[in-house]
Amino acid sequence: MNILLELKHLKHVSLPTRPVICKGLVIVIVLIVLRAIVSPFLAGNSSEKEGFYDSASADLVPGVRRDKFIEVPQIIWGLNNQKIAFARACLTARFLNRSLLMPSLSASLFYKEVDLLRPITFDKVFDFAKFNARCQGFVRLARYSEVSNQTKPFKLQKGSGRRWTVEKDLDQLLQYRRGEAEDSEVIEIIGKHPFLWPDHWPVKDYAKIFDCLALVPEIETEVVKVISKIREAGVKARHDAGLSHNKHAKDGTINPPVPYIAVHMRIEKDWMMHCKKWEQRSNSNEICSSKEEIIHKVSQISDLRRPVVVYLAVADSLLEDDSITSGWRVGMVAFEKKRLGVTDIYNRQPYLIKSAIDFEVCARADVFVGNSFSTFSNLVVLSRTQRLYNMGEASSCGENVGLSCYAYNVIGDDGGPQRWMTDMSDTSLQNLSYGTNNVSCH
């Protein structure tokens, strides 16, 4: 009908103009016909995507709705499991084009005694306003005060068990993306907590969420105190060695901060027992590392001139073991919380905050060395990789790239620890959540 009206309208158009309009009309008709022919071939069955979520398609959604919400169960376990769970909840809300109601995290670390978990709201750890500002247009956090309660929450039960596959989970999300839950103001997801939900999202989307996280000022102040103590120890080590720190940075800064290495040292008894069994099951010898092996690997890193401070991020159970700071090679001065004199900063904080401080101390180090089967180490490396990508660096293989990372449990080509960057093309977070020895600097 519209085409007929256009043709009728042409009768009233002057002769010089009519050929131009006719050509334009023909082009429009051809494009419509081509689209009708090609579209069926481009369309695919979502259940055949094996759970992979094409984030590019969601970018077409104009922002995130502020009047529809997702509510998730309390997020539990270790800091980095909680960060993954939070990001997964955010990306699920994004997929459903809803805001995520600010979830409760867990301040304490209990795996079985759920009644001992200490809930702590997201905005007591991370800056709510900064998160929304940094992630604007991608995901959105909402406060419960924004809910009008005009409709009852729609309860979405997450499936469980081996029969609940990634494909079934994605089909469920697609069903409620446009189905019966559409009219409900809040979709309340019940059942398993988000870390255990099937994963549909690519690494780069998780990286974007993590990049939006900023600690609240009170905790950020503590991070700065710890890092200042580390750098002061570095200045003293150089002074004692008769070396001057007078120098210029690449950006022209005079006397830039003294660099330091951070090592995430996994040598606790429970970890060693767990990883030895892991090695037996996977027929691999690149998961566990003893203290001596870690020292040997770290001593082979030549990124920084010596003497250099080595900050050891270790479990509290190891703080009474003075031997962890001994045995290091000449020019490598090892410190942990106790020797550094910052135990008071950590002792007044609950588990979650302690871990958040240590995470930032490692993430901001000049060189980071960790275990590629540790979730903590993997997320530190992801954070540093994202920063390199933000600076236009897609590889850390070259000299003086900065933000170097190494896996001490994997032997590199030169016999030292393997250089390490996160593979940002991964279609899921599987390798980061559970570990891999397939790491490189690309």
Side-chain angles (χ1 to χ4, degrees):
M1 179 65 71
N2 289 336
I3 294 173
L4 290 175
L5 289 172
E6 283 287 338
L7 291 171
K8 184 177 180 181
H9 173 69
L10 287 176
K11 293 180 181 179
H12 304 286
V13 178
S14 60
L15 282 174
T17 311
R18 189 180 300 172
V20 176
I21 295 177
C22 286
K23 285 181 181 179
L25 187 59
V26 169
I27 291 171
V28 171
I29 293 171
V30 169
L31 288 174
I32 292 171
V33 172
L34 282 173
R35 182 177 179 182
I37 294 171
V38 173
S39 292
F41 295 99
L42 294 179
N45 188 342
S46 61
S47 64
E48 295 174 355
K49 292 187 178 181
E50 300 182 350
F52 174 69
Y53 163 57
D54 182 4
S55 61
S57 63
D59 287 340
L60 299 176
V61 179
V64 181
R65 287 186 300 185
R66 294 169 172 265
D67 60 337
K68 302 286 184 179
F69 308 94
I70 290 287
E71 182 178 13
V72 301
Q74 180 180 347
I75 293 173
I76 61 175
W77 293 353
L79 166 71
N80 292 289
N81 288 338
Q82 292 191 50
K83 288 168 75 171
I84 290 171
F86 169 74
R88 194 161 288 159
C90 284
L91 294 170
T92 300
R94 168 178 164 81
F95 186 77
L96 298 172
N97 195 20
R98 289 171 174 256
S99 297
L100 175 67
L101 287 170
M102 185 172 64
S104 285
L105 306 177
S106 300
S108 53
L109 178 61
F110 290 96
Y111 289 98
K112 294 181 180 179
E113 302 91 337
V114 178
D115 56 319
L116 297 178
L117 288 170
R118 291 170 54 194
I120 181 172
T121 56
F122 174 90
D123 61 354
K124 296 296 183 184
V125 183
F126 299 105
D127 193 304
F128 181 93
K130 282 186 179 178
F131 179 85
N132 276 341
R134 292 178 178 183
C135 265
Q136 186 175 8
F138 188 67
V139 296
R140 179 178 179 271
L141 271 183
R143 297 187 183 277
Y144 278 84
S145 58
E146 297 178 42
V147 180
S148 67
N149 291 316
Q150 292 182 353
T151 61
K152 288 185 177 179
F154 180 90
K155 296 187 182 295
L156 192 161
Q157 175 71 53
K158 274 285 183 182
S160 60
R162 293 183 179 179
R163 293 186 179 182
W164 187 256
T165 62
V166 174
E167 292 78 16
K168 285 184 178 179
D169 190 79
L170 184 61
D171 285 343
Q172 182 190 56
L173 291 177
L174 286 167
Q175 176 187 347
Y176 293 114
R177 191 180 189 179
R178 308 182 184 90
E180 54 185 306
E182 177 62 26
D183 294 334
S184 298
E185 185 181 19
V186 177
I187 295 178
E188 180 186 353
I189 300 180
I190 56 178
K192 297 182 296 186
H193 64 90
F195 182 81
L196 296 176
W197 293 355
D199 187 12
H200 308 296
W201 330 115
V203 166
K204 63 184 180 66
D205 282 2
Y206 282 99
K208 189 173 181 68
I209 300 291
F210 297 145
D211 208 29
C212 296
L213 293 172
L215 294 174
V216 293
E218 298 83 356
I219 303 175
E220 175 63 26
T221 299
E222 304 300 282
V223 173
V224 172
K225 287 179 184 176
V226 175
I227 293 177
S228 295
K229 282 279 190 179
I230 296 171
R231 297 199 189 278
E232 286 172 14
V235 171
K236 184 178 184 304
R238 293 195 172 180
H239 178 269
D240 292 347
L243 298 175
S244 171
H245 181 59
N246 293 331
K247 58 183 295 188
H248 288 74
K250 293 178 182 179
D251 61 1
T253 304
I254 300 175
N255 292 336
V258 176
Y260 69 95
I261 298 174
V263 179
H264 181 218
M265 211 167 185
R266 295 305 311 266
I267 56 173
E268 313 92 293
K269 288 181 180 179
D270 59 341
W271 164 261
M272 295 303 284
M273 290 172 59
H274 170 67
C275 73
K276 287 295 182 186
K277 292 178 181 178
W278 203 347
E279 284 187 337
Q280 291 173 359
R281 289 196 304 267
S282 60
N283 194 27
S284 168
N285 62 353
E286 289 190 326
I287 300 177
C288 306
S289 296
S290 66
K291 172 199 158 186
E292 292 71 25
E293 289 171 328
I294 295 172
I295 289 176
H296 176 67
K297 293 286 183 59
V298 175
S299 69
Q300 293 176 279
I301 297 172
S302 59
D303 291 43
L304 303 175
R305 71 169 183 154
R306 300 180 186 182
V308 62
V309 167
V310 180
Y311 175 73
L312 307 178
V314 296
D316 287 349
S317 61
L318 291 173
L319 292 180
E320 299 307 316
D321 181 3
D322 294 334
S323 69
I324 63 170
T325 58
S326 62
W328 289 82
R329 304 293 189 266
V330 175
M332 307 198 88
V333 189
F335 285 85
E336 34 67 68
K337 303 177 188 73
K338 185 178 179 182
R339 187 181 177 195
L340 198 61
V342 294
T343 50
D344 60 316
I345 292 176
Y346 287 86
N347 288 343
R348 59 174 175 257
Q349 304 291 352
Y351 156 78
L352 188 70
I353 309 303
K354 290 180 184 178
S355 296
I357 294 172
D358 250 8
F359 183 92
E360 289 302 320
V361 171
C362 290
R364 300 179 195 183
D366 298 88
V367 176
F368 172 72
V369 193
N371 187 304
S372 65
F373 281 84
S374 158
T375 308
F376 181 100
S377 290
N378 267 293
L379 290 200
V380 168
V381 175
L382 175 59
S383 169
R384 293 164 69 88
T385 300
Q386 180 66 25
R387 284 167 62 191
L388 283 172
Y389 268 69
N390 290 344
M391 294 187 295
E393 298 283 353
S395 171
S396 64
C397 296
E399 294 294 328
N400 301 318
V401 173
L403 295 173
S404 298
C405 299
Y406 295 85
Y408 57 66
N409 60 302
V410 182
I411 300 175
D413 294 335
D414 59 357
Q418 174 62 50
R419 278 185 177 266
W420 185 9
M421 277 186 80
T422 303
D423 183 357
M424 301 295 271
S425 65
D426 263 357
T427 57
S428 80
L429 212 66
Q430 175 76 20
N431 287 337
L432 276 72
S433 299
Y434 299 103
T436 178
N437 54 15
N438 183 26
V439 299
S440 73
C441 52
H442 294 288

